[in-house]
Amino acid sequence: MPLRSGFVCGLALALSVSPLTAEETAVLPIQGEQLALEYEAYKGGFRVMEIAIDLDLTEPDSYRMGVSGELVGAPALLFTYEFEMAVLGDMSESGPQPERYRIDSVNGKKRKPEWLQLDFDARDVPQVSGDPLPKDEARPPVSEARRRGATDLLSSLLKVVQDVAVTGGCSLKAAVFDGRRRFDVVSSDAGLRTLPKSSINIFSGEARLCELRVKPIAGYRFDGRDKKNLPQVIEAYMAAPAAGLPALPIRLIVRTGWGPVLVHLVGFREGESG
């Protein structure tokens, strides 16, 4: 189903940015704490997916981050899709440095489990394992040269939060590898916008709009399905949902060849290091 792959990839890569330089190093306001975010996705005015993001920064030199979600509403009557994504890595002066990224999912009426894992070696090249393996699919392989230096989806999300906190803007570029595809994300700062009160989103007020465009590089299916299903343009509204928090994704509009998906922040909670 186009929605599942398009949204999952879009939520994370909508926040993809390049690593910070040593001069731009920032400590997030939530350093030493845990943060949980809850989102709901809508298509055509109907709620279609629930998503949860958990970020653990309780260790000073490392991070753990997870994203989980499942189809709900009308799509769930026809298709099964559940996923859990997780990454762990080191926090350095240049930003998050991933060690291991993994996604587990259940697809289709037969509830067939699938998984994919990236292990980042000493040469900064992500190594892929999983079932099914990308090499067994109808897609060209992504060479080691094109994988080198690319980051995973969740570490990219953390980098944008860090970067916006430092620069206040989002004119950035990133190399991203999701285990199957390599793509560049180029973002531009569209300035400040005012979001009105909503019965869905918990935030209203001034937010920074980051517009991101996805440039396919390698690993896309030969039949062109990926280029239609996956995001082409993403509009990410960034703002602090409460005092003491960094700017976070408040609202996303993920545009694919099948139309837009709107994603709203519906809840969050903080937890101190213990």
Side-chain angles (χ1 to χ4, degrees), residues 262-273:
L262 276 66
V263 186
H264 295 276
L265 178 68
V266 297
F268 70 91
R269 66 181 184 276
E270 296 177 79
E272 296 182 357
S273 173

Side-chain angles (χ1 to χ4, degrees), residues 34-266:
Q34 295 176 312
L35 181 65
L37 305 171
E38 298 175 0
Y39 293 87
E40 292 181 351
Y42 288 77
K43 183 166 178 59
F46 296 95
R47 187 170 64 98
V48 294
M49 184 173 277
E50 295 178 346
I51 310 99
I53 299 178
D54 292 288
L55 176 61
D56 186 345
L57 295 172
T58 55
E59 297 296 328
D61 298 322
S62 66
Y63 65 98
R64 293 177 180 271
M65 187 173 186
V67 177
S68 61
E70 64 177 328
L71 285 179
V72 296
L77 299 177
L78 302 174
F79 298 92
T80 294
Y81 186 66
E82 303 170 1
F83 72 91
E84 292 185 0
M85 307 166 69
V87 66
L88 59 88
D90 297 325
M91 295 294 290
S92 71
E93 290 186 348
S94 59
Q97 304 296 319
E99 295 179 3
R100 180 174 298 153
Y101 162 88
R102 178 172 172 126
I103 177 169
D104 290 89
S105 62
V106 177
N107 297 288
K109 295 181 180 179
K110 295 183 178 180
R111 297 186 62 83
K112 180 183 178 181
E114 300 180 354
W115 65 278
L116 184 145
Q117 182 167 303
L118 301 179
D119 290 280
F120 292 78
D121 62 22
R123 297 173 299 132
D124 200 24
V125 178
Q127 303 297 323
V128 182
S129 56
D131 181 20
L133 284 169
K135 68 180 182 64
D136 297 328
E137 300 173 342
R139 65 177 72 248
V142 180
S143 68
E144 179 177 302
R146 282 181 165 165
R147 281 180 281 136
R148 180 174 286 110
T151 190
D152 68 277
L153 292 169
L154 298 190
S155 297
S156 296
L157 186 149
L158 185 55
K159 284 177 180 177
V160 76
V161 174
Q162 201 173 24
D163 193 86
V164 173
V166 174
T167 67
C170 52
S171 297
L172 306 157
K173 182 179 181 180
V176 181
F177 180 58
D178 68 0
R180 288 180 165 83
R181 295 153 291 245
R182 237 300 269 126
F183 47 86
D184 286 343
V185 177
V186 180
S187 66
S188 59
D189 194 322
L192 297 175
R193 304 295 173 88
T194 300
L195 296 180
K197 290 184 178 181
S198 165
S199 61
I200 302 172
N201 203 307
I202 63 171
F203 176 88
S204 62
E206 193 172 80
R208 183 167 298 280
L209 174 57
C210 299
E211 295 183 345
L212 302 99
R213 296 185 179 275
V214 180
K215 178 183 178 182
I217 300 297
Y220 282 71
R221 287 183 181 271
F222 293 114
D223 62 9
R225 197 188 330 169
D226 287 348
K227 291 183 179 179
K228 186 170 186 179
N229 290 353
L230 296 175
Q232 302 165 350
V233 178
I234 306 102
E235 299 170 15
Y237 292 82
M238 304 290 294
L245 292 179
L248 298 169
I250 297 297
R251 177 183 176 188
L252 298 171
I253 303 176
V254 182
R255 302 188 185 278
T256 74
W258 299 97
V261 177
L262 276 66
V263 186
H264 295 276
L265 178 68
V266 297

